[in-house]
Amino acid sequence: RAFFAVPRFLLGRLMEHPLVCRGSMFYLCHDDNDDAPHGRGGSSTTHMTIVTVDFLSPYPQEMVLALAERLTRRIERTTEEHEEHQRIQQKASSRYQRRASHDETSVTSSF
């Protein structure tokens, strides 16, 4: 069994699909009791959680490294998608707020 710390906010997205490694699929498992805050870079606190992957291998250290590599790539890709989604939402929100304030100005100046 391998244990990996992952960002809590990505947990659902990470568990949607198994990791594919060396011709096999490996499912991430999570126990809600494994949540713990961990600092990142000393400046902010990000909530991390532990996921596990069960496997049998004659070379377990190599397998753990291969799984970690794939999980890291998935976290990076998912984080980029999440950040892009947030940027799009922020742009839409600021456009909506500008339009709403413009509409209010138009309404109040017409009286």
Side-chain angles (χ1 to χ4, degrees), residues 12-93:
R13 295 283 308 274
L14 295 174
M15 293 184 67
E16 285 178 359
H17 304 287
L19 294 174
V20 178
C21 181
R22 298 183 178 185
S24 298
M25 293 191 300
F26 299 90
Y27 291 88
L28 299 174
C29 299
H30 177 257
D31 180 0
D32 287 330
N33 296 325
D34 287 336
D35 293 342
H38 295 276
R40 180 190 299 166
S43 61
S44 64
T45 300
T46 303
H47 289 284
M48 303 292 279
T49 190
I50 304 298
V51 294
T52 60
V53 178
D54 291 328
F55 66 92
L56 291 173
S57 172
Y59 308 101
Q61 292 170 329
E62 291 177 17
M63 180 58 76
V64 168
L65 292 175
L67 289 168
E69 181 180 309
R70 281 154 180 83
L71 185 56
T72 299
R73 277 188 273 171
R74 183 177 292 180
I75 289 170
E76 290 169 353
R77 187 176 60 246
T78 305
T79 300
E80 289 169 1
E81 291 169 0
H82 178 77
E83 289 170 352
E84 179 64 21
H85 180 72
Q86 283 185 323
R87 279 193 293 273
I88 291 169
Q89 283 184 323
Q90 288 173 347
K91 284 181 182 179
S93 177

